[in-house]
Amino acid sequence: MVLAGAGVAVCSAMACCYRIGKESPLNINFTSRNAVAGGLVCALVAVMVLAGCNNSGSSAAASTRSAAPQSVPVAVAAARRMDLPVYLSGLGSVTPSNSVSIRSRVDGQLAEVAFKEGQQVQKGQLLAVIDPRPFEVQLAQAQATLFKDQAQLRDAKLNFQRFQDLLKQSGAVSQQQVDTQGALVDQLDGATRNDEATIASAKLQITYCHITAPITGRIGLRLVDVGNIVHAADANPLLIITQLQPIAVLFSLPEDQLQTVAQHMKAGTLTVEAYSRDDQTKLATGQLGTIDNQIDQTTGTGRLKAMFQNQDSSLWPNQFVNARLLLESKKNAVVVPSAAIQRGPQGTFAYVVKADKTAEVRPVTVSLAQGNLSAISQGLAEGEMVVTDGQDKLKAGMTVDATAANGGRRGAQGGAAPGDGSTSPGSTVPGTPAPGAKAPNGGQPGTDGNSQGRRGKAQ
């Protein structure tokens, strides 16, 4: 209506100026240049009229926006009833159940390597062979010496028997000769026993030449190549075998928590979860084994050991992990995100969104905070909506524009998404911008009476 009236006024002014320039009695003294100047003056007057009309329309739109109730965009989440687990967290490292450094027990040349690096081996499996020929020669020598000493022992025993018979029958020999022959028999018997021990030692050396796996585990990198001379006194091992299934995790907890852990251990087995260094990826689940028998005075912590089956080899020795010890589970607790809990001079409180879309300040009592969740013992009921983001702009009684916390449909400055049926701040019809306001995402408001203006470029 205002624009139509302004157009009529402009047309009237221009017509008037034309008549003045063409039909006035003074036109005799006017030149064509003066006529053009008169037209420009009339156009300037028309522009001033239009500007006044626009200012009046803008003032009216601003008054409409200020009169409309303002809503604060916030993120909300529902209070829900669930079992909240109680964890104790500590930094730990993975420790193998068994780790063996394989060294040679004899001196010799490494003749054969019967394993591959990274291979999973079983207990008793052949790993390497040291040249056994020198020990086989020693075995043959010991067997020959035994054969000779056994022959001497048989002869000494026969003579000892003869001397005893002669002493009893005729006394042709003295008692001293009989005793001396008996001592010779004992000496030769000892020599044969020594030869048998030498043979057993030679056989044992040959056995040591064949190195086998003492445990079941995974072989690391080979540290000695075939053809090298190895010694029993070498500082470096031939290889290292590490048992990965099962595997242990050693982690620390403050000394004040050890008594609580010990009490829960009496009630049953406790579960321990191993997480990655960034505490985001769960690697394995095991059981708490034991608590160390002393506290580290330098750190004021106690060490605990948990065992993991590690069937998928997700844990590796000397790996740093975050250990979470599950103490108990709080049953049927009213739980809200910890971001909803605010703290003030009167204690903890939360903003609750009521059915009429207004915010209420509600004092709450937090019984347990675990990670990003908090258990509420008093102040909230299941299903009530609490504000998790945007509390800094919120006061009691203010109208809120609620958005789900897991994915908002508006930002802090944005209006309602087109076509979602919601009401943007300052508008009077759902999905329709207020008079004079821009459409969402920078578009232009509709001028033909449509509820949706032209959409701007996507941000």
Side-chain angles (χ1 to χ4, degrees):
M1 297 294 294
V2 175
L3 291 178
V8 172
V10 170
C11 293
S12 301
M14 292 180 65
C16 180
C17 292
Y18 180 80
R19 287 194 301 270
I20 294 173
K22 295 296 182 178
E23 299 178 0
S24 174
L26 299 178
N27 188 35
I28 299 174
N29 297 328
F30 285 172
T31 62
S32 61
R33 183 177 304 176
N34 292 336
V36 172
L40 292 177
V41 171
C42 293
L44 179 60
V45 171
V47 170
M48 295 176 63
V49 172
L50 287 175
C53 295
N54 289 336
N55 291 334
S56 300
S58 300
S59 300
S63 300
T64 303
R65 286 196 300 270
S66 60
Q70 297 294 327
S71 60
V72 179
V74 294
V76 297
R80 48 181 179 160
R81 190 173 296 275
M82 57 180 291
D83 295 342
L84 183 63
V86 180
Y87 287 98
L88 297 179
S89 301
L91 182 62
S93 61
V94 181
T95 303
S97 301
N98 295 288
S99 182
V100 181
S101 298
I102 306 299
R103 291 182 170 85
S104 174
R105 303 182 69 174
V106 295
D107 298 342
Q109 185 180 25
L110 186 61
E112 179 184 354
V113 172
F115 65 88
K116 296 181 180 180
E117 295 176 329
Q119 179 181 352
Q120 184 76 18
V121 296
Q122 302 297 320
K123 181 178 181 180
Q125 183 175 339
L126 180 65
L127 300 178
V129 177
I130 298 175
D131 188 3
R133 291 175 296 177
F135 304 102
E136 293 174 351
V137 172
Q138 294 178 8
L139 175 61
Q141 292 175 348
Q143 291 174 342
T145 303
L146 175 63
F147 184 77
K148 180 187 69 173
D149 292 341
Q150 285 177 345
Q152 293 178 354
L153 177 60
R154 287 194 300 271
D155 180 66
K157 287 182 178 180
L158 291 174
N159 290 332
F160 180 61
Q161 186 63 39
R162 293 189 187 100
F163 289 169
Q164 287 180 335
D165 293 342
L166 289 175
L167 180 60
K168 292 179 182 179
Q169 295 174 4
S170 61
V173 295
S174 63
Q175 182 65 41
Q176 181 180 1
Q177 290 177 323
V178 175
D179 295 340
T180 301
Q181 189 63 30
L184 180 60
V185 171
D186 294 337
Q187 291 177 4
L188 293 175
D189 185 37
T192 57
R193 294 184 181 183
N194 182 67
D195 295 338
E196 292 174 352
T198 303
I199 292 173
S201 176
K203 291 181 178 180
L204 183 60
Q205 300 300 313
I206 295 175
T207 302
Y208 288 159
C209 290
H210 298 78
I211 301 175
T212 59
I215 61 172
T216 298
R218 189 177 188 273
I219 294 178
L221 302 179
R222 186 176 69 250
L223 304 179
V224 179
D225 298 328
V226 176
N228 285 278
I229 302 298
V230 296
H231 305 84
D234 288 343
N236 296 326
L238 302 179
L239 65 145
I240 298 176
I241 299 179
T242 302
Q243 183 178 356
L244 300 180
Q245 293 95 14
I247 202 167
V249 171
L250 294 178
F251 62 99
S252 300
L253 291 178
E255 57 181 334
D256 297 338
Q257 299 177 351
L258 296 182
Q259 186 64 27
T260 303
V261 175
Q263 293 176 356
H264 284 80
M265 287 183 65
K266 296 178 181 178
T269 304
L270 300 181
T271 301
V272 179
E273 298 175 351
Y275 281 77
S276 57
R277 296 183 64 175
D278 58 1
D279 208 18
Q280 299 298 322
T281 304
K282 182 179 177 180
L283 302 177
T285 301
Q287 296 180 344
L288 181 63
T290 185
I291 305 175
D292 198 2
N293 58 357
Q294 57 184 354
I295 295 175
D296 188 353
Q297 294 183 347
T298 58
T299 60
T301 59
R303 295 199 306 171
L304 297 89
K305 184 176 184 180
M307 298 301 300
F308 296 79
Q309 294 302 318
N310 198 31
Q311 296 297 333
D312 56 352
S313 298
S314 58
L315 299 178
W316 292 85
N318 300 328
Q319 177 184 3
F320 287 100
V321 296
N322 288 290
R324 296 184 184 180
L325 173 61
L326 178 60
L327 276 183
E328 59 182 346
S329 183
K330 190 175 181 62
K331 302 294 184 180
N332 295 324
V334 177
V335 178
V336 296
S338 298
I341 306 301
Q342 303 294 310
R343 289 168 175 79
Q346 305 300 327
T348 56
F349 65 94
Y351 285 102
V352 179
V353 179
K354 298 188 298 184
D356 57 355
K357 300 297 182 65
T358 59
E360 175 190 357
V361 177
R362 184 82 59 80
V364 295
T365 302
V366 179
S367 61
L368 175 65
Q370 188 67 45
N372 296 326
L373 299 177
S374 296
I376 307 300
S377 59
Q378 293 180 357
L380 287 177
E382 180 181 2
E384 288 189 304
M385 306 298 293
V386 294
V387 179
T388 59
D389 189 19
Q391 298 96 327
D392 54 339
K393 302 178 181 179
L394 198 59
K395 293 182 180 179
M398 294 184 65
T399 303
V400 299
D401 186 7
T403 303
N406 58 354
R409 57 180 172 81
R410 67 174 71 242
Q413 302 296 331
D420 64 353
S422 59
T423 303
S424 60
S427 65
T428 57
V429 180
T432 303
K438 290 185 177 181
N441 299 327
Q444 298 298 324
T447 58
D448 55 355
N450 294 332
S451 61
Q452 178 62 49
R454 295 193 301 274
R455 189 185 303 270
K457 293 183 180 180
Q459 294 180 352

